Amino acid sequence: MRAAQTRGIKVVPRMIPSLCKCIGIFYYYLQEIELRRNKSGPAKLLLLLGGETVEKNLSKTYDPKQFETRLYEQWEKSGAFHGKRDPEKTPFTIVMPPPNITGQLHMGHALDHTLQDVLTRWKRMQGFDTLWLPGSDHASIATEVKVADKIRTEEGKTKEELGRDEFLKRAWEWKETYGGKITEQCRKLGDSCDWERERFTMDEGCNKAVVEFFVRLYEQGLIYKGNRIINWCPSCGTSLSDAEVEHDDKNSKYYYIRYPGADGGQGIVVATSRPETIFGDIAIAVNPEDSRYENMIGKEVIIPLVGKAIPVLADPYPDPEKGTGAVKITPAHDPNDFEVGLRHDLEQPSCINLDATMNSLAGKYEGMDRYECRKAWTADLDVAGYLVKTEDMVIPLGECYRCRDAVEPMLSEQWFVRMEELAKPAIEAAEKGDLTHVPERFEKIYLHWLEEIRDWCISRQLWWGHRIPAYYCQDCDELMVTRETPETCTKCGSGNIKQDEDVLDTWFSSALWPFSTLGWPEKTPDMEHYFPTNVLVTGYDIIFFWVVRMVFSSLAMTGESPFSHVYVHGLVRDGEGRKMSKSLGNGVDPLEIIDQYGADALRFMLATGISPGSDIRFKIDRLESCRNFANKLWNASRFVIMNLQDEDGNFRPMAEGEKGIGNLALKDEDKWILTKLNEAVAEITGNMDNYDLALAGQKVHELIWNEYCDWYIELVKARLYGEDEADKQVARFILVKVLKDMLTLLHPFMPFITEEIWSFLPGNKEMLIVSQWPVYDEALNFQGESRRMEMAMEIIRSIRNIRAEAEAAPSRKLRAVILASEKAAGDVAAGENYLKNLANLTEVRFIENKEQIPEEVMSAVVDGAEIFIPLDDLLDYKAEHQRLEKEKSRLQGEIAKLSSKLNNPGFVEKAPEAVVSAEREKLDKAETMLEKVEERLAIVVKKL
Ligand SMILES: [Zn+2]
Ligand SMILES: [Zn+2]
């Protein structure tokens, strides 16, 4: 038995009672008789083999649930996903952007993964040693918040009450329970990634890489500890990266506050939206160009009610157009003020605690919450006459992306990566072409970000994550940054040592993902073979936070760019173009879509609906048309398989074409479809090379639907049912050959349906996933025959149009008269039989000049020929006569009704003008139509 057939085996419950074998045998014969009687049924042919049935053809309807999960398991078990580290083959590597362990597969992932899988499957078929490396991210803050919530609701404890060690134990338990969910969901989508190499950002190897990276940067002087303004979430109790702060417009107020002059003068009015930070003021800044304040520069003003004198400075930062043009400077609570402070060497007093309460600098407001203080303080300023006015304003406010609390810019001692030196090689890599962005325009964004880069705050006041490998001697305060936990202090020898409490920013470990997952810092065989990787596929929204960081980290540690290409895609938006979000409730769950339409339809819609870098709109009608496409392919394949087999399901003889298809006795239609296929192979491969996946997918669609299903199958039907055995064999051979190549071309986009159909086709020794991608073959380029065929098809199409216009049934026999140009005459004449068969013609008459055109015809023009069909052939005069009579009486009735309405003075006088004129218009129209119908009737009556 052929391998392809055995793959379709399914064991069904034994229907034959074992106690009564003779009944079983009788039952078998009944089945046989039933099958033989039902001649149209080889598609449903079942052979009973001792209780097993072997399916010989696809099931009657396309139902992805029947095979998607089964095929995925078969692929995985076969080892097809596994990177073999084959020294004979060129590697092709993609690392999967690691989804958060807290995550659920959403449409963005579905798009991202589809594109990666299309590339991986395509390269695998092209003979590359492919590795698509999967994994997940520990997602420091997101996971910590989830675990803390769980502990709070289930045990009524805070994480502090539980303690660090116990909390981490719970976090790991949580990861084991929920962390694998998203990778399970990837399987549903068909991701052909190497699960044997699955990684986690906090596994042993990644931990080691993180420590090595930190220590090396520290040793190079690129990591330092320093005071900086950071984004602080008072509720979560941690610093946040810029990426973790979301900005939202909020109704707020500007408070105009007078700082009286120390000399007793009027002083300066300053506008601020955060008056509670006034206790941390250290100066007032004005723009040196601002003539209003010329005389104030160098003088002092008094902080109202506080009584402290502060200087007025000249600095380019204040914008004379904004507020009063004068700005209060609070270096500890504002990033811009912090920079001004550095320029003028100012002190950095803080007045707000980390839990957002006021400290002793706030005097009588100490201990109050920041907003409570704002209220009391501005009321007091008002009473004392320092509050000049307030103004309602809409201000973009930074919020913690986890808990939505207002982010407080705070001065804090944190760990930083010095960026200037690291950014340079990353800029050069793009400029030298070591790193290419697809589409190219994203390079600008990448470069802009690197040129503007600020030092990267990498410490987080959390527990779940990589703990910073910095150790402090409790006796002499010595700081040690080491790969291993030191036992004694290198300076004083004390054993009283404590590790830094903070963990690293989540991006610190994901920055190493392309090489930490391959074994770095060790020189592993995987690292040698698969690194640098080929392409990173990601959404444009994380170029800044992730792509850039991977590039500079890799350049600093390995000396190479981690990938040669960044393929940037857009976001999946809803049907109206809005971002899918939880709060809008407009998200679409990919798993529900897969359940309803199958993974293939979803994948095809996502992959063909994009152009690189642009957003895609999710529309159900597009999804439906993708499923219709799958249906069409399924039904056509079922037809083909049915025609390849005899009644017992054995494959009938086929032409031996492998030694040179061109030598077979091919008909024009065979040569045409081979040429079309061949051209498509070249174009699609070229599109894929350029990352134009959508275009490639659309071309496969066109080839399968328009050329193969709509034309080729129709063209060969007569031959399959004919008497010429040799020709039948050729037709069968070409049907299968083209179908197989099309399945190969479609496989990266729709892996499941193509693999399932493949398993029913003859002569396949391997699964489709590992079979070969077709290559262009000049021997299959039949230009002349192809041109002739297209000419015939054009003419057939035009005759079909004429039929439709004349409402003539497809079964109605017609005669055609064709006037071809001198150049096209040969091609047109060669197609005579195709025209007769597919346009249902009894006669094709070729004429040489316009004088020979018969009277009363409908005509059409194609490139190189004019086609005329006599009206007498097209029209069924009897039926037309009936139709026109019916139309005539309908129109007469309508005219009568409208006329009586318009002759009724009650209506004409009372109804609004517009209604009356609309009725009049209707009457005019009906009258004109009646005239035309009567004219036509006069002609038709003569023909009867
Ligand atoms: Zn928060
Ligand atoms: Zn010490």
Side-chain angles (χ1 to χ4, degrees):
M1 191 173 291
R2 290 170 210 233
Q5 293 170 17
T6 54
R7 240 171 257 136
I9 287 181
K10 269 184 192 163
V11 178
V12 295
R14 229 183 143 91
M15 290 184 276
I16 309 162
S18 53
L19 284 173
C20 189
K21 282 231 166 110
C22 43
I23 291 178
I25 291 161
F26 181 59
Y27 182 75
Y28 173 81
Y29 281 113
L30 275 181
Q31 284 277 305
E32 278 285 299
I33 292 160
E34 186 55 35
L35 284 168
R36 280 172 202 280
R37 204 179 347 178
N38 184 8
K39 288 255 173 179
S40 65
K44 284 165 76 183
L45 190 72
L46 296 175
L47 287 187
L48 265 144
L49 297 171
E52 279 185 358
T53 59
V54 180
E55 286 186 31
K56 295 286 190 167
N57 200 347
L58 300 166
S59 59
K60 197 159 186 187
T61 49
Y62 165 62
D63 176 11
K65 281 204 188 88
Q66 283 187 1
F67 52 84
E68 289 193 347
T69 310
R70 163 169 55 85
L71 288 176
Y72 193 88
E73 282 166 11
Q74 277 179 32
W75 287 328
E76 196 176 351
K77 268 193 205 129
S78 76
F81 299 164
H82 187 56
K84 314 276 188 305
R85 217 163 52 223
D86 185 342
E88 304 292 312
K89 287 183 174 179
T90 313
F92 178 81
T93 318
I94 297 183
V95 291
M96 179 189 290
N100 289 351
I101 51 169
T102 54
Q104 280 263 45
L105 194 78
H106 58 65
M107 269 305 159
H109 291 123
L111 171 63
D112 201 52
H113 288 215
T114 297
L115 299 176
Q116 293 175 68
D117 198 45
V118 169
L119 292 171
T120 304
R121 285 179 185 267
W122 166 57
K123 286 289 179 183
R124 187 183 292 122
M125 291 173 127
Q126 277 198 324
F128 286 80
D129 177 9
T130 52
L131 169 61
W132 181 17
L133 197 149
S136 50
D137 195 303
H138 65 284
S140 188
I141 187 168
T143 309
E144 179 146 336
V145 168
K146 278 217 160 123
V147 175
D149 276 352
K150 187 167 183 274
I151 293 167
R152 197 176 309 119
T153 45
E154 285 176 10
E155 302 173 46
K157 281 185 184 167
T158 66
K159 65 177 203 187
E160 286 78 16
E161 282 165 348
L162 206 62
R164 185 170 191 141
D165 290 343
E166 197 53 35
F167 178 83
L168 287 177
K169 222 172 101 188
R170 305 291 165 92
W172 277 105
E173 280 166 13
W174 194 93
K175 189 254 166 194
E176 296 310 322
T177 315
Y178 302 104
K181 207 170 159 193
I182 193 160
T183 53
E184 272 314 307
Q185 295 172 334
C186 295
R187 290 166 199 262
K188 291 249 179 274
L189 199 62
D191 287 1
S192 69
C193 46
D194 188 352
W195 294 112
E196 291 171 50
R197 285 187 171 87
E198 186 181 356
R199 297 296 298 271
F200 176 53
T201 47
M202 269 171 70
D203 67 24
E204 205 189 325
C206 288
N207 269 336
K208 202 170 166 195
V210 163
V211 171
E212 183 67 27
F213 183 46
F214 188 98
V215 174
R216 280 199 204 175
L217 288 185
Y218 182 78
E219 286 169 355
Q220 290 166 26
L222 295 174
I223 279 186
Y224 67 94
K225 218 176 168 185
N227 269 335
R228 275 281 186 282
I229 288 284
I230 47 140
N231 306 303
W232 180 264
C233 174
S235 296
C236 296
T238 184
S239 56
L240 299 170
S241 70
D242 293 343
E244 290 160 340
V245 179
E246 286 177 0
H247 294 272
D248 203 8
D249 283 346
K250 285 272 149 76
N251 289 323
S252 185
K253 272 193 173 73
Y254 260 163
Y255 299 85
Y256 287 76
I257 294 161
R258 174 175 305 282
Y259 289 57
D263 55 6
Q266 276 297 299
I268 285 182
V269 175
V270 167
T272 176
S273 61
R274 294 159 69 217
E276 65 279 9
T277 62
I278 284 178
F279 305 105
D281 282 359
I282 206 75
I284 299 288
V286 295
N287 195 299
E289 316 272 297
D290 193 340
S291 55
R292 288 175 292 180
Y293 300 112
E294 243 171 12
N295 300 329
M296 290 299 295
I297 295 168
K299 290 191 175 157
E300 284 189 326
V301 292
I302 306 288
I303 301 178
L305 296 181
V306 175
K308 183 177 166 188
I310 53 173
V312 179
L313 305 169
D315 192 275
Y317 165 60
D319 179 354
E321 306 289 316
K322 260 191 181 164
T324 62
V327 176
K328 68 188 210 59
I329 300 299
T330 326
H333 297 292
D334 181 278
N336 293 308
D337 293 6
F338 180 80
E339 298 296 326
V340 176
L342 286 186
R343 282 198 283 277
H344 298 275
D345 198 21
L346 303 177
E347 275 178 63
Q348 303 160 339
S350 294
C351 60
I352 304 175
N353 295 315
L354 294 181
D355 62 358
T357 58
M358 305 307 296
N359 70 13
S360 59
L361 262 191
K364 73 177 205 189
Y365 309 101
E366 184 181 358
M368 274 189 190
D369 170 79
R370 57 188 155 164
Y371 297 129
E372 213 182 308
C373 163
R374 180 183 295 179
K375 225 164 141 190
W377 165 233
T378 50
D380 289 347
L381 285 171
D382 195 13
V383 170
Y386 294 110
L387 182 62
V388 180
K389 61 169 178 175
T390 61
E391 210 173 80
D392 289 330
M393 288 293 261
V394 174
I395 297 174
L397 202 71
E399 287 178 345
C400 170
Y401 88 110
R402 291 297 327 163
C403 72
R404 317 307 309 184
D405 193 7
V407 164
E408 209 49 60
M410 290 273 197
L411 188 67
S412 171
E413 191 177 47
Q414 303 283 343
W415 289 93
F416 291 87
V417 174
R418 214 181 289 286
M419 283 312 309
E420 209 183 329
E421 205 173 305
L422 289 166
K424 270 185 208 146
I427 292 170
E428 280 165 21
E431 285 172 348
K432 275 195 308 199
D434 293 346
L435 179 71
T436 309
H437 284 78
V438 182
E440 219 183 296
R441 66 174 190 273
F442 285 99
E443 185 173 300
K444 248 189 215 153
I445 297 176
Y446 167 92
L447 288 174
H448 176 78
W449 201 84
L450 276 165
E451 279 150 11
E452 300 279 304
I453 204 163
R454 288 202 296 176
D455 285 357
W456 175 18
C457 173
I458 51 172
S459 41
R460 296 288 180 277
Q461 290 65 52
L462 297 167
W463 289 346
W464 177 242
H466 300 92
R467 198 159 168 182
I468 290 175
Y471 304 86
Y472 306 94
C473 172
Q474 298 298 290
D475 291 329
C476 76
D477 285 344
E478 175 71 353
L479 165 67
M480 293 159 276
V481 171
T482 54
R483 289 171 181 82
E484 307 287 337
T485 309
E487 294 199 348
T488 52
C489 171
T490 44
K491 195 174 166 193
C492 75
S494 158
N496 193 6
I497 286 164
K498 236 177 130 187
Q499 185 169 5
D500 197 296
E501 294 285 332
D502 290 354
V503 298
L504 288 160
D505 180 10
T506 280
W507 298 104
F508 195 84
S509 52
S510 39
L512 316 180
W513 191 244
F515 46 103
S516 64
T517 51
L518 291 170
W520 187 88
E522 310 301 328
K523 273 194 172 165
T524 60
D526 268 4
M527 190 68 193
E528 301 270 309
H529 187 68
Y530 290 115
F531 189 82
T533 71
N534 295 74
V535 54
L536 180 88
V537 178
T538 189
Y540 59 71
D541 49 339
I542 54 173
I543 294 180
F544 335 106
F545 305 120
W546 193 40
V547 177
V548 162
R549 279 169 188 164
M550 282 191 282
V551 176
F552 72 68
S553 307
S554 179
L555 284 164
M557 292 298 114
T558 73
E560 290 183 276
S561 174
F563 24 77
S564 53
H565 288 80
V566 182
Y567 175 47
V568 184
H569 59 74
L571 310 174
V572 185
R573 295 177 178 276
D574 72 1
E576 272 97 66
R578 296 171 306 176
K579 210 171 161 175
M580 286 189 182
S581 76
K582 254 191 204 142
S583 54
L584 279 176
N586 62 345
V588 182
D589 181 355
L591 294 170
E592 275 172 31
I593 295 294
I594 291 172
D595 191 53
Q596 215 179 331
Y597 295 87
D600 283 333
L602 175 63
R603 290 171 59 113
F604 198 72
M605 187 212 80
L606 292 170
T608 57
I610 51 154
S611 56
S614 305
D615 292 346
I616 168 175
R617 284 191 187 191
F618 186 90
K619 289 191 170 161
I620 287 290
D621 55 346
R622 285 204 46 234
L623 193 65
E624 276 165 358
S625 71
C626 292
R627 191 192 41 196
N628 291 346
F629 171 50
N631 249 323
K632 180 108 176 168
L633 173 64
W634 185 266
N635 293 337
S637 303
R638 214 171 149 264
F639 171 83
V640 171
I641 294 165
M642 190 162 82
N643 279 286
L644 297 177
Q645 295 171 339
D646 62 20
E647 284 161 18
D648 295 328
N650 297 314
F651 287 108
R652 296 183 160 114
M654 284 174 218
E656 296 282 331
E658 299 296 350
K659 283 174 199 137
I661 298 167
N663 299 329
L664 294 174
L666 298 173
K667 295 256 159 75
D668 275 6
E669 68 261 30
D670 302 330
K671 292 187 175 180
W672 166 75
I673 193 72
L674 287 170
T675 307
K676 283 282 149 189
L677 169 69
N678 204 29
E679 283 169 2
V681 166
E683 282 177 37
I684 290 164
T685 309
N687 294 147
M688 301 282 268
D689 279 329
N690 293 330
Y691 294 94
D692 273 330
L693 307 188
L695 216 54
Q698 285 153 14
K699 276 185 191 149
V700 194
H701 180 278
E702 211 176 287
L703 178 69
I704 293 178
W705 188 300
N706 302 348
E707 273 138 14
Y708 189 78
C709 296
D710 281 357
W711 283 103
Y712 186 68
I713 289 185
E714 292 306 312
L715 283 161
V716 294
K717 266 183 184 166
R719 292 161 68 192
L720 291 172
Y721 305 145
E723 298 299 322
D724 182 346
E725 186 52 34
D727 185 45
K728 278 188 190 177
Q729 294 191 13
V730 170
R732 281 180 215 135
F733 172 77
I734 301 297
L735 268 177
V736 179
K737 144 97 190 144
V738 178
L739 178 56
K740 280 193 190 177
D741 280 358
M742 292 190 315
L743 291 175
T744 315
L745 294 172
L746 183 62
H747 179 76
F749 299 91
M750 294 184 134
F752 295 106
I753 184 175
T754 51
E755 187 77 80
E756 180 69 358
I757 296 171
W758 182 264
S759 74
F760 284 92
L761 293 173
N764 292 330
K765 294 183 183 66
E766 295 177 309
M767 279 195 286
L768 180 55
I769 189 175
V770 289
S771 66
Q772 254 198 335
W773 184 258
V775 283
Y776 178 81
D777 180 0
E778 188 50 42
L780 297 182
N781 182 12
F782 306 101
Q783 283 305 315
E785 292 89 338
S786 213
R787 204 184 54 237
R788 283 212 294 272
M789 201 62 231
E790 305 246 316
M791 174 59 90
M793 288 162 61
E794 266 296 285
I795 296 175
I796 292 165
R797 236 178 255 130
S798 70
I799 295 176
R800 286 177 179 167
N801 285 345
I802 290 175
R803 257 185 213 280
E805 262 174 64
E807 293 177 16
S811 58
R812 203 174 166 81
K813 297 273 181 200
L814 304 177
R815 291 164 299 162
V817 176
I818 299 177
L819 173 61
S821 72
E822 213 174 297
K823 208 176 128 205
D827 286 351
V828 176
E832 186 177 343
N833 279 333
Y834 295 112
L835 304 188
K836 282 184 171 169
N837 286 338
L838 287 158
N840 199 16
L841 305 177
T842 51
E843 183 193 310
V844 180
R845 187 155 63 90
F846 296 98
I847 57 172
E848 274 153 18
N849 55 56
K850 295 219 175 224
E851 283 73 55
Q852 292 170 282
I853 301 171
E855 282 176 27
E856 296 196 336
V857 288
M858 282 182 82
S859 66
V861 184
V862 302
D863 188 19
E866 277 180 84
I867 300 103
F868 309 96
I869 309 288
L871 269 184
D872 285 358
D873 284 14
L874 285 165
L875 298 180
D876 178 344
Y877 288 108
K878 231 166 127 188
E880 180 76 350
H881 183 250
Q882 280 175 358
R883 191 181 70 81
L884 288 169
E885 283 290 358
K886 228 167 135 190
E887 182 68 0
K888 186 178 156 188
S889 59
R890 187 188 69 81
L891 286 167
Q892 284 170 332
E894 195 178 326
I895 289 166
K897 213 171 87 193
L898 288 165
S899 305
S900 87
K901 205 173 191 182
L902 287 164
N903 287 333
N904 173 3
F907 171 73
V908 179
E909 280 156 29
K910 281 187 190 137
E913 179 77 27
V915 173
V916 175
S917 68
E919 293 297 290
R920 254 189 237 293
E921 222 168 86
K922 269 193 214 162
L923 180 61
D924 283 350
K925 239 188 218 164
E927 278 168 349
T928 325
M929 275 165 77
L930 182 63
E931 256 170 58
K932 279 190 182 157
V933 166
E934 279 170 339
E935 269 170 38
R936 292 270 301 152
L937 258 174
I939 298 168
V940 172
V941 165
K942 269 189 240 161
K943 299 273 181 182
L944 277 174

CSV table of all heavy atoms in Angstrom, one decimal, residues 472-478 480 488-494 496-497, ligand 2:
chain,number,residue,atom,x,y,z
A,472,TYR,N,26.7,44.2,48.5
A,472,TYR,CA,27.2,45.3,49.4
A,472,TYR,C,27.7,44.7,50.6
A,472,TYR,O,27.0,43.8,51.3
A,472,TYR,CB,26.1,46.3,49.7
A,472,TYR,CG,25.4,46.8,48.5
A,472,TYR,CD1,24.2,46.3,48.0
A,472,TYR,CD2,25.9,48.0,47.8
A,472,TYR,CE1,23.5,46.8,46.9
A,472,TYR,CE2,25.2,48.5,46.7
A,472,TYR,CZ,24.1,47.9,46.3
A,472,TYR,OH,23.4,48.4,45.2
A,473,CYS,N,28.9,45.1,51.0
A,473,CYS,CA,29.4,44.7,52.3
A,473,CYS,C,28.7,45.5,53.4
A,473,CYS,O,28.7,46.7,53.3
A,473,CYS,CB,30.9,44.9,52.4
A,473,CYS,SG,31.6,44.6,54.0
A,474,GLN,N,28.2,44.8,54.3
A,474,GLN,CA,27.4,45.5,55.4
A,474,GLN,C,28.3,46.2,56.4
A,474,GLN,O,27.9,47.0,57.2
A,474,GLN,CB,26.5,44.5,56.1
A,474,GLN,CG,25.5,43.9,55.2
A,474,GLN,CD,24.5,44.9,54.6
A,474,GLN,OE1,23.7,45.5,55.3
A,474,GLN,NE2,24.6,45.1,53.3
A,475,ASP,N,29.6,45.8,56.3
A,475,ASP,CA,30.6,46.4,57.3
A,475,ASP,C,31.3,47.6,56.7
A,475,ASP,O,31.5,48.6,57.4
A,475,ASP,CB,31.5,45.4,57.8
A,475,ASP,CG,30.8,44.3,58.6
A,475,ASP,OD1,29.8,44.7,59.3
A,475,ASP,OD2,31.2,43.1,58.6
A,476,CYS,N,31.7,47.5,55.5
A,476,CYS,CA,32.5,48.7,54.9
A,476,CYS,C,31.9,49.3,53.7
A,476,CYS,O,32.5,50.2,53.1
A,476,CYS,CB,34.0,48.3,54.6
A,476,CYS,SG,34.1,47.3,53.1
A,477,ASP,N,30.6,48.9,53.4
A,477,ASP,CA,29.9,49.5,52.3
A,477,ASP,C,30.5,49.3,50.9
A,477,ASP,O,30.1,49.9,49.9
A,477,ASP,CB,29.7,51.0,52.5
A,477,ASP,CG,28.7,51.4,53.5
A,477,ASP,OD1,27.9,50.4,53.8
A,477,ASP,OD2,28.6,52.5,54.0
A,478,GLU,N,31.5,48.4,50.8
A,478,GLU,CA,32.1,48.1,49.5
A,478,GLU,C,31.0,47.5,48.6
A,478,GLU,O,30.2,46.7,49.0
A,478,GLU,CB,33.2,47.1,49.7
A,478,GLU,CG,33.9,46.6,48.4
A,478,GLU,CD,34.8,47.6,47.7
A,478,GLU,OE1,34.7,48.8,48.1
A,478,GLU,OE2,35.4,47.3,46.7
A,480,MET,N,30.3,45.2,45.2
A,480,MET,CA,30.9,44.2,44.4
A,480,MET,C,29.9,43.7,43.3
A,480,MET,O,28.8,43.4,43.6
A,480,MET,CB,31.4,43.0,45.2
A,480,MET,CG,32.5,43.3,46.2
A,480,MET,SD,32.5,42.1,47.5
A,480,MET,CE,31.3,42.8,48.6
A,488,THR,N,33.0,36.5,50.8
A,488,THR,CA,33.6,37.6,51.7
A,488,THR,C,33.8,38.8,50.9
A,488,THR,O,34.0,38.8,49.7
A,488,THR,CB,34.9,37.1,52.3
A,488,THR,OG1,35.8,36.7,51.2
A,488,THR,CG2,34.8,35.9,53.2
A,489,CYS,N,33.9,39.9,51.7
A,489,CYS,CA,34.1,41.3,51.1
A,489,CYS,C,35.6,41.3,50.6
A,489,CYS,O,36.5,41.0,51.3
A,489,CYS,CB,33.9,42.3,52.2
A,489,CYS,SG,34.4,44.0,51.6
A,490,THR,N,35.7,41.8,49.3
A,490,THR,CA,37.0,41.9,48.7
A,490,THR,C,37.9,42.9,49.4
A,490,THR,O,39.1,42.9,49.3
A,490,THR,CB,36.9,42.2,47.2
A,490,THR,OG1,36.0,43.2,47.0
A,490,THR,CG2,36.5,41.0,46.4
A,491,LYS,N,37.3,43.9,50.1
A,491,LYS,CA,38.0,44.9,50.7
A,491,LYS,C,38.4,44.6,52.2
A,491,LYS,O,39.5,44.6,52.5
A,491,LYS,CB,37.2,46.2,50.6
A,491,LYS,CG,38.0,47.5,50.9
A,491,LYS,CD,37.1,48.7,50.7
A,491,LYS,CE,37.8,50.0,51.2
A,491,LYS,NZ,36.8,51.1,51.2
A,492,CYS,N,37.3,44.3,53.0
A,492,CYS,CA,37.6,44.1,54.4
A,492,CYS,C,37.5,42.6,54.9
A,492,CYS,O,37.8,42.3,56.0
A,492,CYS,CB,36.7,45.0,55.2
A,492,CYS,SG,35.0,44.3,55.3
A,493,GLY,N,37.1,41.7,54.0
A,493,GLY,CA,37.1,40.3,54.3
A,493,GLY,C,35.9,39.9,55.1
A,493,GLY,O,35.7,38.7,55.4
A,494,SER,N,35.0,40.8,55.4
A,494,SER,CA,33.8,40.5,56.1
A,494,SER,C,32.9,39.5,55.4
A,494,SER,O,32.8,39.6,54.1
A,494,SER,CB,33.0,41.8,56.5
A,494,SER,OG,31.6,41.5,56.7
A,496,ASN,N,29.7,39.5,56.0
A,496,ASN,CA,28.4,40.1,56.1
A,496,ASN,C,28.0,40.9,54.8
A,496,ASN,O,28.1,42.1,54.7
A,496,ASN,CB,28.4,41.1,57.3
A,496,ASN,CG,27.0,41.5,57.7
A,496,ASN,OD1,26.0,41.0,57.2
A,496,ASN,ND2,26.9,42.4,58.7
A,497,ILE,N,27.4,40.1,53.9
A,497,ILE,CA,27.2,40.6,52.5
A,497,ILE,C,25.8,40.5,52.1
A,497,ILE,O,25.1,39.5,52.4
A,497,ILE,CB,28.1,39.9,51.5
A,497,ILE,CG1,29.6,40.3,51.7
A,497,ILE,CG2,27.7,40.1,50.1
A,497,ILE,CD1,30.6,39.5,51.1
B,2,ZN,ZN,33.8,45.1,53.6
